Amino acid sequence: QVQLVESGGGLVQAGGSLRLSCAASGLTFSRYGMGWFRQAPGKEREFVAAISWRGGNTPYADSAKGRFTISRDNAKNTMYLQMNNLKPEDTTVYYCAAAPLARSLWIPASYDYWGQGTQVTVSS
């Protein structure tokens, strides 16, 4: 049974930082492209960042470029999202996801497995 468990969300002031983690089990982690998405109530799921199998390809949404850094540790079956200079508009639930093919990682339909999400709240 595949499980993706996000952690690290919370409440932070604008300009602050958070580091999200996504712990994976039940799959060969190093063979999956991984991604972070976010979704506000009533809105579509939005791509944030993704990382290929070995980390050589890391696309970012424009809103994340220069502030967020995605990484992975295949030995620990864990992916991370370092978020710096957070803004109130970053407030929402963040989801990690696993894709069997490391292409089109900015598209939600590319992913087979999803975590339950972690709430990030940025106060102004």
Side-chain angles (χ1 to χ4, degrees):
Q1 180 181 0
V2 175
Q3 280 194 318
L4 301 177
V5 180
E6 302 95 337
S7 62
L11 174 63
V12 65
Q13 289 188 334
S17 298
L18 285 173
R19 188 194 195 201
L20 305 185
S21 298
C22 172
S25 61
L27 75 169
T28 305
F29 182 75
S30 61
R31 296 184 181 179
Y32 279 76
M34 299 294 296
W36 288 100
F37 290 77
R38 62 189 186 186
Q39 187 170 21
K43 294 189 177 181
E44 292 186 354
R45 194 156 291 190
E46 176 189 10
F47 171 72
V48 176
I51 187 165
S52 57
W53 302 336
R54 297 181 181 179
N57 183 30
T58 54
Y60 291 90
D62 288 344
S63 60
K65 288 178 182 176
R67 299 189 300 129
F68 296 179
T69 302
I70 191 171
S71 61
R72 65 189 297 163
D73 185 338
N74 287 343
K76 295 183 178 180
N77 289 356
T78 302
M79 174 180 64
Y80 306 97
L81 185 68
Q82 178 67 42
M83 304 189 295
N84 298 328
N85 190 23
L86 283 161
K87 304 175 181 181
E89 51 264 43
D90 295 319
T91 295
T92 189
V93 179
Y94 285 71
Y95 299 88
C96 70
L101 299 174
R103 58 174 181 245
S104 301
L105 292 177
W106 57 92
I107 301 173
S110 298
Y111 294 82
D112 284 356
Y113 305 106
W114 293 85
Q116 292 300 307
T118 185
Q119 176 71 44
V120 170
T121 303
V122 184
S123 63
S124 57

